[in-house]
Amino acid sequence: CLMPSTRPRIAFAKSNICNACNYKNKIKKINYQNRDKELKKILKDNKSKKSKYDCIVPWSGGKDSSYVAYQLKFKYGANPLLVTFSPLIPSKVGEHNRNELIKLGFDHVLVRSNQKISSYLSKRFLIERGNPKAAWDAGINSAPLKIAIEKNIKLIFYAEHGETNYGGKVLSKESEKKRDYEEVIENVIGDDPHNWESSDINLNEISPYLMPSQEELDEFSIEGYYFGYYFPWDIKDNIKYILKNIDFKLHPQGRTVGTFTDFDSLDDYIDDVYYYLQYIKYGFGRAIRDASRHIQLGYLSKKDALEKILKYDGEYPRDSIEKSLRYWNINLEKFNQIIDNHRSSLIWEKDNNCWRHKFLNDLRQKI
């Protein structure tokens, strides 16, 4: 694929092939019929007798989590409870897509934490880490677990395991199939939210972001599985399936800023800025991410992928930046100062007082 070595936790073999591409080659040999039987057995053995619900699906309303929820309910006969940790700046498209699935007979819990604290933490981690969604990452992991304990639901089904599918650091042999919560704290959240307490924010205000302990999860026998383990996970197949079964809206402008696709990460206006900051920090944005996945799945040639990357990657999020600045209560000058603080000299250099992206310019010369 075209994923650079600046992606956090990615690893390359001696042949310079990344662990995501090696994984995609490995799964071609898997007998998915056996895995389907395994999934059916898990659902049968854990059919709830004490709760109305058989499982929880952490659900954004996007194509992947909606695909998981729809399959569990209508193919496998389970009764999932959908749990959403609210987007920071919810979009109209995201709200529409959630409503369309709920109308088919799902129960849904929306967790909306204190918005003053949410905005404070988003701004804090924008400045400190160049990641305005760091606290949100903690919230989306914490909320389903807390609701599982509260409602005595033993199973949680997540979409796919990102560390194996897209290149990362796998801490457990079973991580591809079962949720490893130590791995979540280390790789996804990157921190224990208890550390966020300060003179400006107390532990009670951080509560929505605190994960239950492993001891609590063991006490209630709660286990998380990746639905993508049981099937050849394919983002294009997922969106085709959802478009066929519900009135799912795509990006109203025909593609998402910074990339060539129109079906991913549509529920939060701040996502456009989040991916732009990823481009600033690590040198790759949405287009490189999407193109690499399309290459791995056989939908794009490297030549076509390079053309899309050079056209769209790192595109400035003009339509979302004003909403985000209001959310953080900062001006554009302050925002530009913040993002410049997160530029690495390995990726960026100044040329006539303008920032130049080193390896993308090298790609332009090759194509």
Side-chain angles (χ1 to χ4, degrees), residues 9-54:
R9 303 182 303 279
I10 199 168
F12 291 84
K14 290 180 180 178
S15 56
N16 284 333
I17 298 175
C18 75
N19 45 2
C21 286
N22 280 324
Y23 175 73
K24 287 293 187 293
N25 289 327
K26 168 190 162 186
I27 62 175
K28 292 174 183 176
K29 302 174 183 177
I30 290 171
N31 184 332
Y32 281 102
Q33 287 184 331
N34 289 340
R35 290 196 177 182
D36 184 61
K37 291 176 184 175
E38 182 183 342
L39 174 59
K40 288 174 180 173
K41 187 175 187 309
I42 290 169
L43 288 166
K44 182 181 177 182
D45 291 348
N46 289 276
K47 190 73 175 173
S48 181
K49 296 176 182 177
K50 296 182 179 180
S51 172
K52 175 183 175 183
Y53 307 104
D54 300 310

Side-chain angles (χ1 to χ4, degrees), residues 17 19 27 45 57 64 70 103 106-107 120 125 129 133 147 162 166 175 193-194 199 226 243 254 281 284 318 336:
I17 298 175
N19 45 2
I27 62 175
D45 291 348
V57 175
D64 294 328
Y70 195 100
K103 285 194 297 190
F106 291 88
D107 286 347
Y120 166 84
F125 293 129
R129 306 180 189 182
K133 299 191 75 173
I147 291 171
Y166 308 123
S175 288
H194 284 93
S199 57
Y226 290 103
L243 287 170
K281 290 194 301 177
F284 73 95
R318 287 182 177 83
N336 288 332

Side-chain angles (χ1 to χ4, degrees), residues 328-367:
W328 297 316
N329 192 28
I330 61 174
N331 59 32
L332 185 59
E333 182 181 2
K334 175 66 174 176
F335 175 73
N336 288 332
Q337 290 173 355
I338 291 167
I339 65 172
D340 284 350
N341 287 338
H342 292 286
R343 292 183 192 269
S344 167
S345 60
L346 294 172
I347 300 165
W348 299 97
E349 62 184 3
K350 275 281 185 78
D351 185 7
N352 291 326
N353 211 34
C354 293
W355 289 107
R356 191 175 74 88
H357 191 303
K358 294 180 180 178
F359 68 75
L360 273 189
N361 275 281
D362 292 339
L363 286 177
R364 285 189 180 93
Q365 293 170 12
K366 291 178 182 178
I367 197 166

Side-chain angles (χ1 to χ4, degrees), residues 158-177:
Y158 300 86
E160 81 278 41
H161 183 236
E163 297 295 302
T164 52
N165 275 272
Y166 308 123
K169 184 180 179 182
V170 181
L171 299 186
S172 163
K173 290 181 180 178
E174 282 211 306
S175 288
E176 178 190 353
K177 175 170 72 171

Side-chain angles (χ1 to χ4, degrees), residues 190-201:
D191 191 7
D192 184 341
H194 284 93
N195 298 328
W196 303 347
E197 190 175 14
S198 69
S199 57
D200 295 323
I201 188 169

Side-chain angles (χ1 to χ4, degrees), residues 92 136 155 194 208 217 289:
K92 293 178 181 178
W136 182 86
L155 288 178
H194 284 93
L217 298 176
R289 182 200 72 160

Side-chain angles (χ1 to χ4, degrees), residues 181-209:
Y181 294 101
E182 180 186 344
E183 186 179 281
V184 169
I185 290 172
E186 181 167 329
N187 293 348
V188 180
I189 304 171
D191 191 7
D192 184 341
H194 284 93
N195 298 328
W196 303 347
E197 190 175 14
S198 69
S199 57
D200 295 323
I201 188 169
N202 62 49
L203 206 55
N204 286 336
E205 292 171 319
I206 297 170
S207 176
Y209 309 96

